[in-house]
Coordinates of all heavy atoms in Angstrom, one line a residue:
M1 N 104.8 135.8 111.4 CA 105.1 134.4 111.2 C 105.2 134.0 109.8 O 104.3 134.4 109.0 CB 104.1 133.5 112.0 CG 104.5 132.0 111.9 SD 103.3 131.1 112.9 CE 103.2 129.7 111.7
I2 N 106.2 133.3 109.4 CA 106.3 132.8 108.0 C 105.4 131.6 107.8 O 105.4 130.7 108.6 CB 107.8 132.4 107.7 CG1 108.7 133.6 107.9 CG2 107.9 131.7 106.3 CD1 110.2 133.2 107.8
P3 N 104.6 131.6 106.8 CA 103.7 130.4 106.6 C 104.5 129.2 106.4 O 105.6 129.2 105.8 CB 102.9 130.8 105.3 CG 103.4 132.1 104.9 CD 104.4 132.6 105.8
P4 N 103.9 128.0 106.8 CA 104.7 126.8 106.6 C 104.8 126.4 105.1 O 104.0 126.8 104.3 CB 103.8 125.7 107.3 CG 102.4 126.3 107.4 CD 102.7 127.8 107.5
R5 N 105.8 125.7 104.8 CA 106.0 125.1 103.5 C 105.4 123.8 103.4 O 105.2 123.2 104.4 CB 107.5 125.1 103.1 CG 108.1 126.5 103.1 CD 109.5 126.4 102.8 NE 110.0 127.8 102.9 CZ 111.1 128.2 102.3 NH1 111.9 127.4 101.6 NH2 111.4 129.5 102.4
G6 N 105.2 123.3 102.2 CA 104.7 121.9 102.1 C 104.7 121.4 100.7 O 105.0 122.1 99.8
F7 N 104.2 120.2 100.6 CA 104.1 119.6 99.3 C 103.1 118.4 99.3 O 102.7 118.0 100.4 CB 105.5 119.1 98.8 CG 106.2 118.2 99.7 CD1 106.1 116.9 99.6 CD2 107.1 118.8 100.6 CE1 106.8 116.0 100.5 CE2 107.8 118.0 101.5 CZ 107.6 116.6 101.5
L8 N 102.7 118.0 98.1 CA 101.7 117.0 98.0 C 102.4 115.8 97.4 O 103.1 115.9 96.4 CB 100.6 117.4 97.1 CG 99.6 116.4 96.6 CD1 98.7 116.0 97.8 CD2 98.7 116.9 95.5
V9 N 102.1 114.6 98.0 CA 102.6 113.3 97.5 C 101.5 112.7 96.7 O 100.4 112.5 97.1 CB 103.0 112.4 98.6 CG1 103.5 111.0 98.0 CG2 104.2 113.0 99.4
A10 N 101.8 112.5 95.4 CA 100.8 111.9 94.4 C 101.4 110.8 93.6 O 102.6 110.6 93.7 CB 100.3 113.0 93.5
A11 N 100.5 110.1 93.0 CA 101.0 108.9 92.2 C 100.1 108.8 91.0 O 98.9 109.3 91.0 CB 101.0 107.6 92.9
P12 N 100.5 108.1 89.9 CA 99.7 108.0 88.7 C 98.5 107.0 88.9 O 97.6 107.0 88.1 CB 100.6 107.5 87.6 CG 101.8 106.9 88.4 CD 101.9 107.6 89.7
R13 N 98.5 106.2 89.9 CA 97.5 105.2 90.1 C 97.3 104.9 91.6 O 98.3 105.1 92.4 CB 97.7 103.9 89.3 CG 99.0 103.2 89.7 CD 99.2 102.0 88.9 NE 100.5 101.4 89.3 CZ 100.7 100.7 90.3 NH1 99.8 100.4 91.2 NH2 102.0 100.2 90.6
S14 N 96.2 104.2 91.9 CA 96.0 103.8 93.3 C 97.1 102.7 93.5 O 97.6 102.1 92.6 CB 94.6 103.2 93.5 OG 93.6 104.2 93.3
S15 N 97.4 102.5 94.8 CA 98.4 101.5 95.2 C 99.8 101.8 94.6 O 100.6 100.9 94.4 CB 97.9 100.1 94.8 OG 96.7 99.7 95.4
G16 N 100.0 103.1 94.5 CA 101.3 103.6 93.9 C 102.3 103.9 95.0 O 103.4 104.3 94.7
G17 N 102.0 103.7 96.3 CA 102.9 103.9 97.4 C 102.9 105.3 98.0 O 103.7 105.6 98.8
K18 N 101.8 106.0 97.8 CA 101.6 107.4 98.4 C 101.7 107.4 99.9 O 102.4 108.2 100.5 CB 100.3 108.0 97.9 CG 100.2 108.3 96.4 CD 98.9 108.9 96.1 CE 97.7 108.1 96.4 NZ 97.6 106.8 95.7
T19 N 101.0 106.4 100.5 CA 101.0 106.4 102.0 C 102.4 106.1 102.5 O 102.8 106.7 103.5 CB 99.9 105.5 102.5 OG1 98.6 105.9 102.0 CG2 99.8 105.4 104.0
T20 N 103.0 105.1 102.0 CA 104.3 104.7 102.4 C 105.3 105.9 102.3 O 106.1 106.1 103.3 CB 104.8 103.5 101.6 OG1 103.9 102.4 101.8 CG2 106.2 103.0 102.1
V21 N 105.3 106.5 101.1 CA 106.3 107.6 100.9 C 105.9 108.8 101.9 O 106.8 109.4 102.5 CB 106.2 108.1 99.5 CG1 107.0 109.4 99.3 CG2 106.8 107.0 98.6
T22 N 104.6 109.1 102.0 CA 104.2 110.2 102.9 C 104.6 110.0 104.3 O 105.2 110.9 105.0 CB 102.6 110.4 102.8 OG1 102.3 110.7 101.5 CG2 102.2 111.5 103.8
L23 N 104.4 108.8 104.8 CA 104.7 108.5 106.2 C 106.2 108.5 106.4 O 106.7 109.0 107.5 CB 104.2 107.1 106.6 CG 102.7 107.0 106.6 CD1 102.2 105.5 106.9 CD2 102.1 107.9 107.7
G24 N 107.0 108.0 105.5 CA 108.5 108.0 105.6 C 109.0 109.5 105.6 O 109.8 109.8 106.4
L25 N 108.4 110.3 104.7 CA 108.8 111.8 104.7 C 108.5 112.5 106.0 O 109.2 113.2 106.6 CB 108.2 112.4 103.5 CG 108.8 112.1 102.2 CD1 107.9 112.7 101.1 CD2 110.2 112.6 102.0
Q26 N 107.2 112.2 106.4 CA 106.7 112.9 107.7 C 107.6 112.5 108.9 O 108.1 113.3 109.7 CB 105.3 112.5 108.0 CG 104.3 113.1 107.0 CD 102.9 112.6 107.2 OE1 102.7 111.4 107.7 NE2 102.0 113.4 106.7
R27 N 107.9 111.2 109.0 CA 108.7 110.8 110.1 C 110.2 111.3 110.0 O 110.8 111.7 111.0 CB 108.8 109.2 110.2 CG 109.6 108.6 111.4 CD 109.2 109.2 112.7 NE 107.8 108.8 113.1 CZ 107.5 108.0 114.0 NH1 108.4 107.4 114.7 NH2 106.3 107.7 114.3
A28 N 110.7 111.3 108.8 CA 112.1 111.8 108.7 C 112.2 113.2 109.0 O 113.2 113.7 109.6 CB 112.6 111.6 107.2
L29 N 111.3 114.0 108.6 CA 111.2 115.5 108.8 C 111.0 115.7 110.3 O 111.7 116.6 110.9 CB 110.1 116.2 108.0 CG 110.4 116.2 106.5 CD1 109.1 116.6 105.8 CD2 111.5 117.2 106.2
R30 N 110.2 114.9 111.0 CA 110.0 115.1 112.4 C 111.3 114.7 113.1 O 111.7 115.4 114.1 CB 108.9 114.2 112.9 CG 108.6 114.3 114.4 CD 107.5 113.4 114.8 NE 107.3 113.5 116.3 CZ 106.8 112.6 117.0 NH1 106.4 111.4 116.4 NH2 106.7 112.7 118.3
R31 N 112.0 113.7 112.7 CA 113.2 113.3 113.4 C 114.3 114.4 113.2 O 115.3 114.5 114.0 CB 113.7 112.0 112.8 CG 113.0 110.8 113.4 CD 113.6 109.5 112.9 NE 112.9 108.4 113.5 CZ 113.0 107.2 113.1 NH1 113.8 106.9 112.1 NH2 112.3 106.2 113.7
R32 N 114.2 115.2 112.2 CA 115.1 116.4 112.0 C 114.7 117.6 112.8 O 115.3 118.6 112.8 CB 115.1 116.7 110.5 CG 115.9 115.7 109.7 CD 115.9 116.2 108.2 NE 116.6 115.2 107.4 CZ 117.8 115.5 106.8 NH1 118.3 116.7 106.9 NH2 118.4 114.5 106.2
G33 N 113.6 117.4 113.6 CA 113.2 118.4 114.5 C 112.2 119.4 114.0 O 111.9 120.4 114.7
L34 N 111.6 119.2 112.8 CA 110.6 120.1 112.3 C 109.3 119.8 112.9 O 108.9 118.6 113.2 CB 110.6 120.0 110.8 CG 111.8 120.4 110.0 CD1 111.7 120.1 108.6 CD2 112.0 122.0 110.2
A35 N 108.4 120.8 113.0 CA 107.0 120.6 113.4 C 106.3 120.3 112.0 O 106.0 121.1 111.2 CB 106.5 121.9 113.9
V36 N 106.0 119.0 111.9 CA 105.4 118.5 110.7 C 103.9 118.2 110.9 O 103.5 117.7 112.0 CB 106.0 117.1 110.3 CG1 105.5 116.6 109.0 CG2 107.5 117.3 110.2
R37 N 103.1 118.6 109.9 CA 101.7 118.3 109.9 C 101.3 117.5 108.7 O 101.8 117.7 107.6 CB 100.8 119.6 109.9 CG 101.0 120.5 111.2 CD 100.5 119.8 112.5 NE 100.7 120.7 113.6 CZ 101.8 120.8 114.3 NH1 102.8 120.0 114.1 NH2 101.8 121.6 115.3
G38 N 100.3 116.6 108.9 CA 99.9 115.8 107.8 C 98.5 116.2 107.3 O 97.7 116.7 108.1
V39 N 98.3 116.1 106.0 CA 96.9 116.4 105.4 C 96.6 115.3 104.4 O 97.5 114.9 103.7 CB 96.9 117.8 104.7 CG1 95.6 118.0 104.0 CG2 97.2 118.9 105.7
K40 N 95.4 114.8 104.4 CA 94.9 113.9 103.4 C 93.9 114.5 102.5 O 93.0 115.1 103.0 CB 94.3 112.6 104.1 CG 93.8 111.6 103.2 CD 94.8 110.9 102.4 CE 94.2 109.9 101.5 NZ 95.1 109.0 100.7
N41 N 94.2 114.4 101.2 CA 93.3 114.9 100.2 C 92.1 113.8 100.0 O 92.5 112.7 99.7 CB 94.0 115.2 98.9 CG 93.1 115.6 97.8 OD1 92.1 116.3 98.0 ND2 93.3 115.2 96.6
G42 N 90.9 114.3 100.2 CA 89.8 113.3 100.0 C 89.3 112.6 101.2 O 89.8 112.8 102.3
P43 N 88.3 111.8 101.0 CA 87.6 111.2 102.1 C 88.2 109.9 102.5 O 87.9 108.8 102.2 CB 86.2 110.9 101.5 CG 86.5 110.7 100.0 CD 87.6 111.6 99.7
D44 N 89.3 110.0 103.3 CA 90.0 108.8 103.9 C 90.2 109.2 105.3 O 90.7 110.2 105.8 CB 91.3 108.8 103.2 CG 92.1 107.5 103.7 OD1 92.1 107.3 104.9 OD2 92.6 106.8 102.8
Y45 N 89.7 108.2 106.2 CA 89.8 108.4 107.6 C 90.8 107.4 108.3 O 90.8 107.4 109.5 CB 88.4 108.3 108.3 CG 87.6 109.4 107.7 CD1 86.7 109.1 106.6 CD2 87.7 110.8 108.0 CE1 86.0 110.2 105.9 CE2 87.0 111.7 107.4 CZ 86.1 111.5 106.4 OH 85.4 112.4 105.7
I46 N 91.5 106.7 107.5 CA 92.5 105.8 108.1 C 93.9 106.4 108.0 O 94.7 106.5 109.0 CB 92.5 104.4 107.3 CG1 91.2 103.7 107.5 CG2 93.7 103.5 107.8 CD1 90.9 102.5 106.7
D47 N 94.3 107.0 106.8 CA 95.6 107.5 106.6 C 95.9 108.7 107.6 O 97.0 108.8 108.1 CB 95.8 108.0 105.2 CG 95.9 106.8 104.2 OD1 96.1 105.7 104.7 OD2 95.7 107.0 103.0
P48 N 94.9 109.5 107.9 CA 95.3 110.6 108.9 C 95.7 110.1 110.2 O 96.5 110.7 110.9 CB 94.0 111.4 109.0 CG 93.3 111.3 107.6 CD 93.6 109.8 107.3
A49 N 95.2 108.9 110.7 CA 95.7 108.3 111.9 C 97.2 107.9 111.7 O 97.9 108.0 112.7 CB 94.8 107.1 112.3
F50 N 97.5 107.4 110.6 CA 98.9 107.0 110.3 C 99.7 108.3 110.3 O 100.9 108.3 110.9 CB 99.1 106.3 109.1 CG 98.4 104.9 109.0 CD1 97.9 104.4 107.8 CD2 98.2 104.1 110.1 CE1 97.3 103.2 107.7 CE2 97.6 102.9 110.1 CZ 97.2 102.4 108.8
H51 N 99.2 109.3 109.7 CA 100.0 110.6 109.7 C 100.3 111.1 111.1 O 101.4 111.6 111.4 CB 99.2 111.7 109.0 CG 98.9 111.4 107.6 ND1 98.2 112.3 106.7 CD2 99.4 110.4 106.7 CE1 98.1 111.8 105.5 NE2 98.9 110.7 105.4
E52 N 99.3 111.0 111.9 CA 99.4 111.5 113.4 C 100.5 110.6 114.1 O 101.3 111.2 114.8 CB 98.1 111.4 114.1 CG 98.2 111.9 115.5 CD 96.8 112.0 116.2 OE1 95.8 111.9 115.5 OE2 96.8 112.3 117.4
A53 N 100.5 109.4 113.8 CA 101.5 108.5 114.4 C 102.9 108.9 113.9 O 103.9 108.9 114.7 CB 101.3 107.1 114.1
A54 N 103.1 109.3 112.7 CA 104.4 109.6 112.1 C 104.8 111.0 112.6 O 106.0 111.3 112.7 CB 104.3 109.6 110.6
T55 N 103.9 112.0 112.7 CA 104.2 113.4 113.0 C 104.1 113.7 114.5 O 104.7 114.7 114.9 CB 103.4 114.3 112.2 OG1 101.9 114.2 112.6 CG2 103.4 114.1 110.7
G56 N 103.3 113.0 115.2 CA 103.0 113.4 116.6 C 102.0 114.5 116.7 O 101.8 115.1 117.8
A57 N 101.4 114.9 115.6 CA 100.4 115.9 115.6 C 99.2 115.5 114.8 O 99.3 114.6 113.9 CB 100.9 117.2 114.9
P58 N 98.0 116.0 115.1 CA 96.8 115.5 114.4 C 96.9 115.9 112.9 O 97.4 116.9 112.5 CB 95.6 116.4 115.1 CG 96.2 116.8 116.4 CD 97.7 116.9 116.2
S59 N 96.3 115.0 112.1 CA 96.2 115.2 110.7 C 94.7 115.5 110.3 O 93.8 115.1 111.1 CB 96.7 114.0 110.0 OG 96.5 114.0 108.5
V60 N 94.5 116.1 109.2 CA 93.1 116.4 108.8 C 92.9 115.9 107.3 O 93.8 115.6 106.6 CB 92.8 117.9 108.8 CG1 93.0 118.5 110.2 CG2 93.8 118.7 107.9
N61 N 91.6 115.9 107.0 CA 91.1 115.6 105.6 C 90.7 116.9 105.0 O 90.0 117.7 105.7 CB 89.9 114.6 105.6 CG 90.3 113.2 106.0 OD1 90.4 112.9 107.2 ND2 90.5 112.4 105.0
L62 N 91.0 117.1 103.8 CA 90.5 118.2 103.0 C 89.8 117.6 101.7 O 90.5 117.0 100.9 CB 91.6 119.1 102.6 CG 92.3 119.9 103.8 CD1 93.5 120.7 103.2 CD2 91.3 120.7 104.5
D63 N 88.6 117.8 101.6 CA 87.8 117.2 100.5 C 87.0 118.2 99.8 O 86.0 118.7 100.3 CB 86.8 116.1 101.2 CG 86.1 115.3 100.1 OD1 86.2 115.6 98.9 OD2 85.5 114.2 100.5
T64 N 87.5 118.6 98.6 CA 86.9 119.7 97.9 C 85.5 119.3 97.3 O 84.6 120.2 97.1 CB 87.7 120.1 96.6 OG1 87.9 119.0 95.8 CG2 89.0 120.7 97.1
F65 N 85.1 118.0 97.3 CA 83.9 117.5 96.9 C 82.8 117.7 98.0 O 81.7 118.1 97.8 CB 83.9 116.1 96.4 CG 82.6 115.6 95.9 CD1 82.1 116.0 94.6 CD2 81.8 114.8 96.6 CE1 80.9 115.5 94.2 CE2 80.6 114.3 96.2 CZ 80.1 114.7 95.0
A66 N 83.2 117.3 99.2 CA 82.2 117.2 100.3 C 82.2 118.4 101.2 O 81.3 118.6 102.0 CB 82.5 116.0 101.1
M67 N 83.3 119.3 101.1 CA 83.4 120.4 102.0 C 83.2 121.8 101.3 O 83.7 121.9 100.1 CB 84.7 120.4 102.7 CG 85.0 119.3 103.5 SD 86.7 119.3 104.2 CE 86.7 117.8 105.1
S68 N 82.6 122.7 101.9 CA 82.5 124.1 101.4 C 83.8 124.8 101.4 O 84.8 124.3 102.2 CB 81.5 124.9 102.1 OG 82.0 125.2 103.4
D69 N 84.0 125.8 100.7 CA 85.2 126.6 100.7 C 85.6 127.1 102.1 O 86.7 127.0 102.6 CB 85.2 127.8 99.7 CG 85.3 127.4 98.3 OD1 85.6 126.2 98.0 OD2 85.0 128.2 97.4
A70 N 84.5 127.5 102.8 CA 84.7 128.1 104.2 C 85.2 126.9 105.2 O 86.1 127.1 106.0 CB 83.4 128.7 104.7
T71 N 84.6 125.7 105.0 CA 85.0 124.6 105.8 C 86.5 124.2 105.5 O 87.2 124.0 106.4 CB 84.1 123.4 105.6 OG1 82.8 123.8 106.0 CG2 84.5 122.3 106.4
M72 N 86.8 124.2 104.2 CA 88.2 123.9 103.8 C 89.1 124.9 104.4 O 90.2 124.5 104.9 CB 88.3 123.8 102.3 CG 87.5 122.7 101.6 SD 88.5 121.3 101.4 CE 89.7 121.9 100.3
T73 N 88.8 126.1 104.3 CA 89.7 127.2 104.8 C 89.9 127.0 106.4 O 91.1 127.1 106.8 CB 89.2 128.5 104.4 OG1 89.1 128.6 103.0 CG2 90.0 129.6 105.0
A74 N 88.9 126.8 107.1 CA 89.0 126.6 108.5 C 89.8 125.4 108.9 O 90.6 125.5 109.8 CB 87.5 126.6 109.1
I75 N 89.5 124.3 108.3 CA 90.3 123.1 108.6 C 91.8 123.2 108.2 O 92.6 122.8 109.0 CB 89.6 121.8 107.9 CG1 88.3 121.5 108.5 CG2 90.6 120.7 108.0 CD1 87.5 120.5 107.8
A76 N 92.1 123.8 107.1 CA 93.4 124.0 106.7 C 94.1 125.0 107.6 O 95.3 124.7 107.9 CB 93.5 124.6 105.2
A77 N 93.5 126.0 108.0 CA 94.1 126.9 109.0 C 94.5 126.2 110.3 O 95.6 126.5 110.9 CB 93.2 128.1 109.3
R78 N 93.6 125.4 110.8 CA 93.9 124.6 112.0 C 95.1 123.7 111.8 O 95.9 123.5 112.7 CB 92.7 123.8 112.5 CG 91.7 124.6 113.4 CD 90.6 123.8 113.9 NE 89.9 123.3 112.7 CZ 88.8 122.6 112.8 NH1 88.3 122.3 113.9 NH2 88.1 122.3 111.7
A79 N 95.1 123.0 110.6 CA 96.2 122.1 110.3 C 97.6 122.8 110.2 O 98.6 122.3 110.6 CB 95.9 121.4 109.0
L80 N 97.5 124.0 109.7 CA 98.8 124.8 109.6 C 99.3 125.4 110.9 O 100.5 125.7 110.9 CB 98.6 125.8 108.5 CG 98.2 125.3 107.1 CD1 98.0 126.5 106.2 CD2 99.3 124.4 106.6
A81 N 98.4 125.6 111.8 CA 98.8 126.3 113.1 C 100.0 125.5 113.7 O 99.9 124.3 114.0 CB 97.7 126.3 114.0
G82 N 101.1 126.1 114.0 CA 102.2 125.5 114.6 C 103.1 124.7 113.7 O 104.1 124.1 114.2
A83 N 102.8 124.6 112.4 CA 103.5 123.8 111.5 C 104.7 124.5 110.9 O 104.5 125.7 110.5 CB 102.6 123.2 110.4
E84 N 105.8 123.8 110.7 CA 106.8 124.3 109.9 C 106.8 123.8 108.4 O 107.3 124.4 107.5 CB 108.2 124.0 110.5 CG 108.4 124.7 111.9 CD 109.7 124.2 112.5 OE1 109.7 123.2 113.1 OE2 110.7 125.0 112.3
I85 N 106.3 122.6 108.3 CA 106.2 122.0 107.0 C 104.9 121.0 107.0 O 104.6 120.4 108.1 CB 107.4 121.2 106.6 CG1 107.3 120.7 105.2 CG2 107.7 120.0 107.5 CD1 108.6 120.4 104.5
V86 N 104.2 121.0 105.9 CA 103.0 120.2 105.7 C 103.3 119.2 104.6 O 103.8 119.5 103.5 CB 101.8 121.0 105.4 CG1 100.6 120.1 105.1 CG2 101.5 122.0 106.5
V87 N 103.1 117.9 104.9 CA 103.2 116.8 103.9 C 101.8 116.3 103.7 O 101.3 115.7 104.6 CB 104.2 115.7 104.3 CG1 104.3 114.7 103.3 CG2 105.6 116.3 104.7
A88 N 101.3 116.6 102.5 CA 100.0 116.2 102.2 C 100.0 115.0 101.2 O 100.8 114.8 100.4 CB 99.2 117.3 101.4
E89 N 99.0 114.1 101.5 CA 98.9 112.9 100.7 C 97.7 113.0 99.8 O 96.5 113.3 100.2 CB 98.8 111.7 101.6 CG 98.6 110.3 100.9 CD 98.5 109.2 101.8 OE1 98.7 109.3 103.0 OE2 98.2 108.1 101.3
G90 N 97.9 112.8 98.5 CA 96.8 112.8 97.5 C 95.9 111.6 97.7 O 96.2 110.6 98.4
S91 N 94.7 111.7 97.0 CA 93.8 110.6 97.0 C 93.8 109.8 95.7 O 94.0 110.5 94.7 CB 92.4 111.1 97.3 OG 92.0 112.0 96.2
M92 N 93.7 108.6 95.8 CA 93.7 107.7 94.7 C 94.9 108.0 93.8 O 95.9 108.3 94.3 CB 92.4 107.8 93.9 CG 91.1 107.4 94.7 SD 89.5 107.7 94.0 CE 89.7 106.8 92.5
G93 N 94.7 107.8 92.5 CA 95.8 108.1 91.6 C 95.4 109.2 90.6 O 94.2 109.5 90.4
L94 N 96.4 109.8 90.0 CA 96.1 110.9 89.1 C 95.2 110.5 87.9 O 94.5 111.3 87.3 CB 97.4 111.5 88.6 CG 98.3 112.2 89.6 CD1 99.6 112.6 89.0 CD2 97.6 113.3 90.3
F95 N 95.3 109.2 87.5 CA 94.7 108.8 86.3 C 93.6 107.7 86.6 O 93.1 107.1 85.7 CB 95.7 108.2 85.3 CG 96.7 109.2 84.9 CD1 98.0 109.1 85.3 CD2 96.4 110.3 84.2 CE1 99.0 110.1 85.0 CE2 97.3 111.3 83.8 CZ 98.6 111.1 84.2
D96 N 93.3 107.5 87.9 CA 92.2 106.6 88.2 C 90.9 107.1 87.6 O 90.6 108.3 87.7 CB 92.0 106.5 89.7 CG 93.1 105.6 90.3 OD1 93.9 105.0 89.6 OD2 93.1 105.6 91.6
G97 N 90.1 106.2 87.0 CA 88.9 106.6 86.4 C 89.0 107.1 85.0 O 88.0 107.2 84.3
V98 N 90.2 107.2 84.4 CA 90.4 107.6 83.1 C 90.5 106.3 82.2 O 91.3 105.4 82.6 CB 91.8 108.4 82.9 CG1 92.0 108.7 81.4 CG2 91.7 109.7 83.7
R99 N 89.7 106.2 81.2 CA 89.7 105.0 80.4 C 91.0 104.8 79.6 O 91.4 105.7 79.0 CB 88.5 105.0 79.4 CG 87.2 105.0 80.2 CD 86.1 104.9 79.3 NE 86.0 103.4 78.9 CZ 85.1 103.0 78.0 NH1 84.4 103.8 77.4 NH2 85.1 101.7 77.8
G100 N 91.6 103.6 79.7 CA 92.8 103.3 78.9 C 92.3 102.7 77.6 O 91.2 102.2 77.5
E101 N 93.2 102.8 76.7 CA 92.8 102.2 75.4 C 93.7 100.9 75.1 O 94.7 100.7 75.5 CB 93.1 103.2 74.3 CG 92.3 104.4 74.7 CD 91.6 105.1 73.5 OE1 91.2 104.4 72.6 OE2 91.6 106.3 73.5

């Protein structure tokens, strides 16, 4: 089996539209007949429910801070099972927490 392809939706700051773009892409890909899976980076338990509504398949959280490598690997493997494409949503913004001058 060919591993699924995928990509990460990120933004430079929080409230940058990541969830909106992610959901739109997930739904559009599903409507094209692809088996789409959602993944949320970080500790967020609301967005995966939205991902599931858009894709028709369960979404998971992957949190490198709170999860061991073995746990991350197991969860990612389950998320990829049966997927043709994975649309992952980043957490917060790329520059959140960086002091501006």
